[in-house]
Amino acid sequence: MPLPGDRWIEVADAAAAVQALGEASRRVFLALGKREIRTFAQALQHHYLVRSVEPVDPPLAVPHASYVTGRGPFTEADDRALLAAHAIDLVIARNSGGTATYGKIAAARALGLPVILLRRPALPTVPTVETIEDALTWLDHALALRGV
């Protein structure tokens, strides 16, 4: 949920994030998965700082990329220091919907940086129940339909 001072752009996927970056060279913090960051090889003019849990191998096929590894959660102070040390001017992250990776979003807000968020995928429609008793009744019915 955006707060005052947030400069968010929400996009459908990594390809849309590349388009949203524009043509002018920027210093970009990528906090995405290995598969998603590969898309950014289409935009060679940018300088990328990639944070991942595991080393990125092979490295991103761009002339300017730096890498940091680490397992979160990261605090706002940690991320603010990282973004400032690398002179980052834009953050790209997935909208995870949780608080475990919120440090980079709060750091971007504190530094006045724009953030491009990859939209969360739509959740599938699934049956829901209100109580444990309702869940057991639903489960009994579902198992009976399957002959279990």
Side-chain angles (χ1 to χ4, degrees):
M1 190 82 167
L3 297 176
D6 286 337
R7 297 172 52 201
W8 294 1
I9 299 168
E10 197 170 33
V11 297
D13 55 24
V18 168
Q19 292 300 311
L21 277 174
E23 294 300 319
S25 178
R26 303 182 85 164
R27 299 187 64 79
V28 181
F29 178 56
L30 292 177
L32 300 170
K34 287 181 186 181
R35 194 172 325 140
E36 293 164 320
I37 67 165
R38 301 274 176 246
T39 307
F40 291 86
Q42 300 171 23
L44 302 174
Q45 72 274 28
H46 303 294
H47 296 252
Y48 297 103
L49 173 62
V50 179
R51 180 167 67 197
S52 60
V53 174
E54 303 282 330
V56 177
D57 188 28
L60 189 58
V62 297
H64 308 288
S66 300
Y67 302 89
V68 292
T69 56
R71 185 177 303 277
F74 301 98
T75 67
E76 176 186 345
D78 292 338
D79 281 343
R80 194 170 48 235
L82 178 69
L83 298 176
H86 290 271
I88 298 299
D89 57 41
L90 184 131
V91 173
I92 300 180
R94 187 179 309 109
N95 185 352
S96 65
T99 58
T101 59
Y102 196 72
K104 64 184 160 286
I105 302 301
R109 178 184 308 119
L111 296 169
L113 302 178
V115 177
I116 298 175
L117 288 173
L118 277 58
R119 191 174 296 123
R120 294 180 63 150
L123 295 176
T125 303
V126 296
T128 60
V129 295
E130 298 286 325
T131 66
I132 292 172
E133 292 78 21
D134 291 343
L136 293 172
T137 300
W138 179 88
L139 185 58
D140 285 340
H141 178 72
L143 291 174
L145 289 174
R146 292 192 174 132
V148 177

